[in-house]
Amino acid sequence: MGLPGLRAAAWALRRACGSWTPHLGPRLLCLHPMAGNGEAPMPVGTKQEQNKKARSGWQGPTRIWEETEQQAKKLKSSEDGEQQRKLPKRKIVLLMAYSGKGYHGMQRNVGSSKFKTIEDDLVSALVRSGCIPENHGEDMRKMSFQRCARTDKGVSAAGQVVSLKVWLIDDILEKINSHLPSHIRILGLKRVTGGFNSKNKCDARTYFYMLPTFAFAHKDHDSQDETYRLSAETLGRVNRLLACYKGTHNFHNFTSQKGPHEPSARRYILDMFCEEPFVREGMEFAVIKVKGQSFMTHQIRKMVGLVVAIVKGYAPESVLERCWGEAKVDVPKAPGLGLVLERVHFEKYNQRFGHDGLHEPLDWAREEAEVTAFKEQHIYPTIISTERQERSMAQWLSTLPMHNFSATAHTAAGLGTKMVSSMQCQEAIGLGGDCGQQESSCST
């Protein structure tokens, strides 16, 4: 058979067997080209086979092995992360207690390491204990973080509550506390509803203000006499004046940058009173407690400051009534050292969800002993020792004669007004306070 006949037979066989014939090797079908015919034809089915494999996604054994190896490495490196992601992520609240000395308040200033806050240490402990991923620490909104109250520079707390979403790891409280300093403790944890917000769901806050009783001594008495003891008569007068704050009033004179016509200046005080005094390390102290729906910037410190000024004889009692009016009254601001957030209240939430069989009431009765122990170990000693060393109350009392209580702040003499403003700023910076932070972030 000649060459043309052989070629014809090959093409006939190809049509009969399909586009690829494994029994016919390339030697049979790749014939030598005739002169002038160009390149030799490709082996039968080679191009069609490649197209078919390309359409089916086949990438060859080398490519498959490389991808398998990469997946194995990725799985191995993220084994711990995947294990955590399988844990349930739930909305909870944490009961916190802390001593605020040395901290620039509660709220974290992301991106700023100049001023250390309580939340800086808290977020670091949450990440290191494995409760939240690291990127949630950088953007706290990712874990739906919210504090119940924003405390000022140097202000402590015995019952702060924060809400957030975390991985419910085993022994979660012990692991978080192991990464916190001893003066910051997580005392309790409870599950809450998915939409719970500790700031918005809080009905009221209770603060206490601890101060040496010589602050109530008459102005003619030695303002630094540690032997002073508060009489029953003076204590009765103090409580009578504190009771004047109860109810709804316009507290625009007890904060800054709020006018008398702003609705947010009206606040509701449920109770305010001074407890019986007690002696610590030879010095007598008293605790003033105040419960209100919410508080503005420096409001509590100014409420205490004005009562002290009246009892000492620097201001008349009538100044309290003038404070509710539209005129701006010069109200002194007590030091921030003795202010403590004692408790936050969730009455409405407890009524609706506290007994639904799924959630616990937020009353923290079981943690009360731990709260008391923390106050005795960290809060009271810090206030007492700092007062002895820095004499913040005694120094502040010496500024009271500079205030003009007989005239409004706007009508006071120019020089006197400048002196008062300067002294208030010095008090804020040098005596444990500051000129712009809030005691509580809540507002009505």
Side-chain angles (χ1 to χ4, degrees):
M1 182 184 291
L3 182 62
L6 183 61
R7 181 172 295 172
W11 283 110
L13 182 61
R14 179 182 179 184
R15 287 195 298 271
C17 297
S19 60
W20 183 66
T21 307
H23 302 291
L24 298 178
R27 293 184 181 273
L28 177 61
L29 298 180
C30 291
L31 305 178
H32 293 286
M34 296 180 64
N37 283 350
E39 295 182 358
M42 295 179 64
V44 174
T46 300
K47 186 173 182 179
Q48 290 85 344
E49 177 71 13
Q50 291 175 350
N51 291 339
K52 183 177 180 181
K53 291 177 180 179
R55 287 194 302 269
S56 64
W58 188 84
Q59 298 175 333
T62 302
R63 181 65 175 170
I64 293 176
W65 180 86
E66 289 176 352
E67 289 186 353
T68 304
E69 184 183 35
Q70 291 176 358
Q71 290 175 358
K73 289 180 179 179
K74 186 176 180 181
L75 181 63
K76 184 177 181 181
S77 63
S78 61
E79 183 176 352
D80 294 337
E82 292 295 334
Q83 196 172 16
Q84 280 186 320
R85 290 187 186 95
K86 292 178 182 178
L87 295 172
K89 199 172 185 182
R90 297 289 184 263
K91 177 65 77 68
I92 64 165
V93 292
L94 298 175
L95 176 66
M96 290 185 65
Y98 53 84
S99 173
K101 184 179 180 181
Y103 290 88
H104 204 77
M106 169 71 179
Q107 186 174 9
R108 190 182 191 200
N109 302 310
V110 179
S112 174
S113 58
K114 185 178 179 181
F115 302 110
K116 188 178 183 180
T117 67
I118 298 294
E119 288 178 8
D120 287 332
D121 284 353
L122 174 62
V123 171
S124 175
L126 291 172
V127 173
R128 293 170 65 189
S129 62
C131 295
I132 60 172
E134 190 172 353
N135 64 342
H136 285 198
E138 298 168 357
D139 186 358
M140 298 172 70
R141 293 174 298 180
K142 292 182 178 180
M143 57 176 165
S144 303
F145 185 92
Q146 186 59 260
R147 68 205 63 81
C148 187
R150 186 168 53 192
T151 52
D152 201 355
K153 177 184 177 181
V155 176
S156 301
Q160 173 74 277
V161 171
V162 298
S163 57
L164 68 161
K165 290 182 178 180
V166 300
W167 285 315
L168 292 175
I169 61 176
D170 294 334
D171 303 320
I172 183 170
L173 292 187
E174 291 79 2
K175 290 180 180 178
I176 297 175
N177 282 323
S178 68
H179 296 289
L180 286 172
S182 60
H183 55 269
I184 302 178
R185 293 288 92 180
I186 305 299
L187 303 180
L189 178 153
K190 292 187 179 183
R191 287 279 307 275
V192 289
T193 57
F196 184 87
N197 181 303
S198 61
K199 174 186 171 183
N200 297 338
K201 295 296 183 181
C202 183
D203 303 308
R205 289 98 174 148
T206 296
Y207 284 82
F208 73 77
Y209 190 90
M210 181 175 169
L211 73 169
T213 57
F214 63 68
F216 295 119
H218 193 269
K219 61 182 180 180
D220 297 332
H221 194 277
D222 183 5
S223 61
Q224 301 187 40
D225 183 9
E226 295 184 5
T227 63
Y228 177 84
R229 297 296 181 262
L230 188 65
S231 66
E233 181 183 357
T234 303
L235 178 60
R237 187 185 181 201
V238 169
N239 277 321
R240 180 169 55 82
L241 292 170
L242 293 175
C244 295
Y245 290 122
K246 294 168 64 174
T248 301
H249 299 285
N250 190 333
F251 282 93
H252 73 97
N253 275 309
F254 295 85
T255 186
S256 58
Q257 301 178 347
K258 278 197 183 294
H261 300 293
E262 293 187 45
S264 61
R266 295 185 65 82
R267 301 292 164 125
Y268 178 50
I269 305 300
L270 287 84
D271 200 7
M272 191 168 188
F273 61 93
C274 182
E275 296 181 336
E276 290 289 333
F278 56 92
V279 178
R280 291 289 178 92
E281 300 181 15
M283 185 184 299
E284 188 179 66
F285 289 85
V287 170
I288 295 174
K289 289 194 175 183
V290 54
K291 180 180 179 181
Q293 282 185 339
S294 58
F295 298 96
M296 298 178 290
T297 308
H298 301 147
Q299 180 182 339
I300 297 175
R301 292 166 62 184
K302 282 179 171 283
M303 292 166 71
V304 172
L306 186 58
V307 169
V308 169
I310 294 173
V311 174
K312 291 190 74 66
Y314 289 110
E317 292 189 13
S318 60
V319 72
L320 268 172
E321 285 297 325
R322 287 199 293 117
C323 285
W324 312 137
E326 294 186 5
K328 194 68 177 175
V329 178
D330 181 17
V331 178
K333 179 178 63 181
L337 173 63
L339 186 61
V340 178
L341 174 63
E342 184 176 46
R343 188 187 303 272
V344 291
H345 307 268
F346 301 95
E347 279 87 356
K348 291 181 181 178
Y349 174 86
N350 289 342
Q351 290 175 4
R352 183 173 180 182
F353 299 104
H355 305 284
D356 63 356
L358 299 175
H359 305 92
E360 297 179 81
L362 303 181
D363 56 13
W364 311 109
R366 289 176 297 184
E367 292 77 12
E368 193 63 40
E370 292 184 77
V371 172
T372 301
F374 186 90
K375 288 190 290 186
E376 292 289 343
Q377 185 176 0
H378 294 283
I379 295 180
Y380 294 152
T382 299
I383 294 174
I384 294 170
S385 62
T386 305
E387 177 60 39
R388 281 191 171 280
Q389 295 169 10
E390 301 179 6
R391 313 292 298 176
S392 60
M393 179 57 68
Q395 292 183 44
W396 175 75
L397 291 173
S398 67
T399 69
L400 289 180
M402 300 179 185
H403 291 265
N404 188 344
F405 298 100
S406 61
T408 64
H410 291 310
T411 59
L415 180 61
T417 304
K418 290 179 182 178
M419 288 178 62
V420 170
S421 177
S422 175
M423 287 304 301
Q424 286 177 334
C425 192
Q426 290 178 21
E427 295 164 21
I429 297 173
L431 302 183
D434 70 288
C435 295
Q437 285 201 338
Q438 291 184 316
E439 291 161 6
S440 171
S441 64
C442 50
S443 59
T444 53

